[in-house]
Amino acid sequence: MPDPEQPTLPAPSDRSARPPRRIPAPRHPTHAVDRAFLELERRRPDVRWDAGGVAYLSGPPPALADLRAYVGHRLGALPLLTSRVEGGRRPRWQPAGDFAVDRHVHEVVADGPDGWDRALHTALNAPFAPGSYWGIWLIHGHDPDAYAVCYRFHHACQDGSAAAMTFRAMLGEGEPSARPVPGRSRPSGVPRRAGAAVALATRFVAGSFAVRGHRPDVAFAPSGERRLWRGRAPVDTLRRIGAGRGGSAHDVHLAALAGALSVWSARAGVPLPRVTAVLPVDARRADEEQTWGNRCFAMPLDLPVRTRSRHPDASGDGEASLRRLDQVMATTRKLRGETWRQAIQDLVRFMPDGPTEWYLRRMLSPRVTNVMATSMPLADKGSLGETQVTGTALLPLLVPGHLFAVGLSFFGDWAEVSFVADRALPLGELLPELWERAVEELKESSTPT
């Protein structure tokens, strides 16, 4: 009999409690970005090329067997997760005949209230089962009325937008994505679009050569073990600050990140002569599926970390925080425009494999960028059975040589920031608090007196 203290999950029928055996769907082609990540894995098998997210829930956790049955029932809407890459030079995603939910859904039990941190980071660092591209970890044992679900995937499998669709299919309420997409273009605009795409690629590639050799010295010896630290701010606060300057909540996040890094650099004793973040940008067409693979572009953005402050510890200067916001917006304003967005979409759609892999490898190189920064609207609310999602954390790709990866997830009324870094990063646990303070500083500075 089920444990009376465990929540009742939506009960699939006996026939659907395990992944239904369907007639195999037509083979789905991989994209150039998928193949680029697979090539990166072949080049660097020692690197973890996975990303993901964590959902925090209130209420008693389900039994592992019940969670596996629930996930198996939901997989009908996510055919990619029951597929694998097969083929030669032009591999395709096709249904895996030996797929088993048990190899993908796992459990980590904390050793009492003090074991939460160890259990969470066990899930963050656990390897995938052989031949698997993704995994789900049920994390519980620290509190009878709280648990978490960690979802991780190989980046060849999904990008952030596809992963957000997975969240909504598994835990959300079916809200549509808030991703911006270019309007439908006319054939007469093709020459202009081609010129814009080439010019944009040339600009970013040229910029990557210009910053070579200007990276800070290695601040720590990596341990190979990832850690997660979280912070949050009301999403309306970020939106109001951004709207007041003609920008967005994401602009405010990046400006706050730059301010947090200024203070962190001084306290941790890590000089930052230059910080360049790599921003993943969704480049799907309006009619393109979000459930399959990657359609993302990597855009470099210099963070204004060295904006001067009147204070020795680089804090408490509202004028400097607003200057950071204006400097961020000077670049992101172009990104929101139709010309840049269409050019990025065309680059991702038409760039051949070789240049795509070379460009992605270069943009992720610590010689060019040293922070991964991403953001994603997730959902207005979420649940698993009778338990409710109370918070989220993105797990962006952590590239060797980068200081950390930072993700901003929009869930309900909150903008939740998560920092993923190697355990050896000096004072990494301070970053969420410093980000929250930087947001508050922007709020105070932008409020009329």
Side-chain angles (χ1 to χ4, degrees):
M1 294 182 60
D3 188 333
E5 295 185 355
Q6 292 176 329
T8 302
L9 298 182
S13 66
D14 291 342
R15 186 174 60 184
S16 60
R18 59 179 62 89
R21 298 183 67 85
R22 303 178 181 86
I23 298 173
R27 297 194 304 168
H28 198 288
T30 57
H31 188 270
V33 184
D34 302 341
R35 296 190 290 273
F37 275 109
L38 289 170
E39 179 61 26
L40 287 171
E41 182 184 37
R42 283 190 286 267
R43 285 173 174 265
R44 294 290 306 275
D46 57 311
V47 174
R48 297 175 181 269
W49 296 105
D50 62 276
V54 180
Y56 299 83
L57 297 100
S58 63
L64 177 61
D66 291 340
L67 180 61
R68 284 173 169 168
Y70 175 84
V71 171
H73 183 60
R74 293 281 179 158
L75 286 176
L78 299 164
L80 174 72
L81 298 187
T82 57
S83 303
R84 65 160 60 100
V85 175
E86 293 187 358
R89 296 186 61 185
R90 287 288 177 180
R92 289 175 174 268
W93 294 98
Q94 57 185 9
D98 61 348
F99 177 84
V101 171
D102 291 7
R103 292 196 302 119
H104 294 77
V105 182
H106 315 281
E107 181 179 37
V108 180
V109 181
D111 186 15
D114 296 332
W116 165 251
D117 189 67
R118 179 182 291 275
L120 173 65
H121 293 110
T122 295
L124 255 63
N125 292 284
F128 294 143
S132 301
Y133 289 98
W134 61 275
I136 290 176
W137 284 263
L138 171 65
I139 313 167
H140 66 97
H142 63 295
D143 186 322
D145 289 312
Y147 68 103
V149 175
C150 175
Y151 170 62
R152 290 171 35 224
F153 56 90
H154 190 293
H155 219 305
C157 177
Q158 292 183 318
D159 58 19
S161 291
M165 287 288 290
T166 300
F167 177 94
R168 286 187 283 273
M170 291 285 184
L171 301 175
E173 303 295 334
E175 300 96 335
S177 171
R179 66 191 179 99
V181 295
R184 296 186 181 277
S185 58
R186 298 177 179 176
S188 59
V190 170
R192 178 184 58 80
R193 284 169 48 191
V198 171
L200 190 67
T202 302
R203 171 179 179 150
F204 290 146
V205 171
S208 76
F209 283 108
V211 301
R212 186 170 184 172
H214 291 274
R215 297 291 109 215
D217 294 333
V218 176
F220 59 93
S223 69
E225 188 177 351
R226 292 178 291 190
R227 285 288 184 268
L228 168 65
W229 301 289
R230 302 170 60 212
R232 60 173 16 184
V235 66
D236 284 345
T237 297
L238 271 67
R239 288 172 177 162
R240 282 196 298 269
I241 297 169
R245 309 288 287 191
S248 68
H250 186 242
D251 295 331
V252 177
H253 159 59
L254 293 174
L257 176 61
L261 279 171
S262 294
V263 181
W264 174 84
S265 174
R267 294 186 181 179
V270 178
L272 295 177
R274 184 172 187 144
V275 177
T276 305
V278 55
L279 307 182
V281 179
D282 183 11
R284 282 173 175 78
R285 303 189 305 274
D287 60 345
E288 204 160 26
E289 287 187 89
Q290 285 182 273
T291 54
W292 287 91
N294 290 266
R295 299 294 188 277
C296 60
F297 182 78
M299 191 188 85
L301 173 72
D302 287 342
L303 293 177
V305 172
R306 301 184 69 190
T307 299
R308 293 186 178 277
S309 170
R310 293 191 297 267
H311 298 261
D313 65 351
S315 66
D317 190 340
E319 183 181 346
S321 66
L322 292 178
R323 287 201 304 272
R324 291 189 189 100
L325 178 56
D326 290 340
Q327 291 173 48
V328 167
M329 288 169 47
T331 297
T332 60
R333 186 179 292 113
K334 298 178 182 178
L335 177 63
R336 288 192 295 272
E338 183 72 17
T339 299
W340 268 38
R341 187 158 287 278
Q342 184 66 67
I344 289 173
Q345 185 190 81
D346 290 338
L347 279 172
V348 171
R349 184 178 181 185
F350 297 113
M351 190 182 292
D353 283 13
T356 297
E357 193 270 332
W358 180 89
Y359 179 81
L360 186 61
R361 179 160 41 90
R362 187 157 191 82
M363 284 299 109
L364 295 179
S365 168
R367 294 182 177 180
V368 178
T369 60
N370 54 355
V371 168
M372 169 70 75
T374 187
S375 66
M376 185 56 56
L378 287 181
D380 290 334
K381 56 185 177 180
S383 62
L384 181 57
E386 298 175 357
T387 62
Q388 300 298 311
V389 179
T390 60
T392 58
L394 298 185
L395 303 175
L397 182 66
L398 180 59
V399 180
H402 279 197
L403 288 169
F404 55 79
V406 57
L408 186 72
S409 57
F410 296 95
F411 179 79
D413 297 329
W414 294 98
E416 310 225 27
V417 69
S418 55
F419 290 86
V420 178
D422 190 274
R423 178 172 52 85
L425 179 72
L427 301 182
E429 67 278 7
L430 295 183
L431 287 167
E433 179 184 352
L434 296 177
W435 179 88
E436 291 174 348
R437 290 182 183 177
V439 170
E440 187 64 27
E441 188 175 284
L442 280 163
K443 176 184 174 182
E444 294 173 356
S445 303
S446 60
T447 301
T449 56

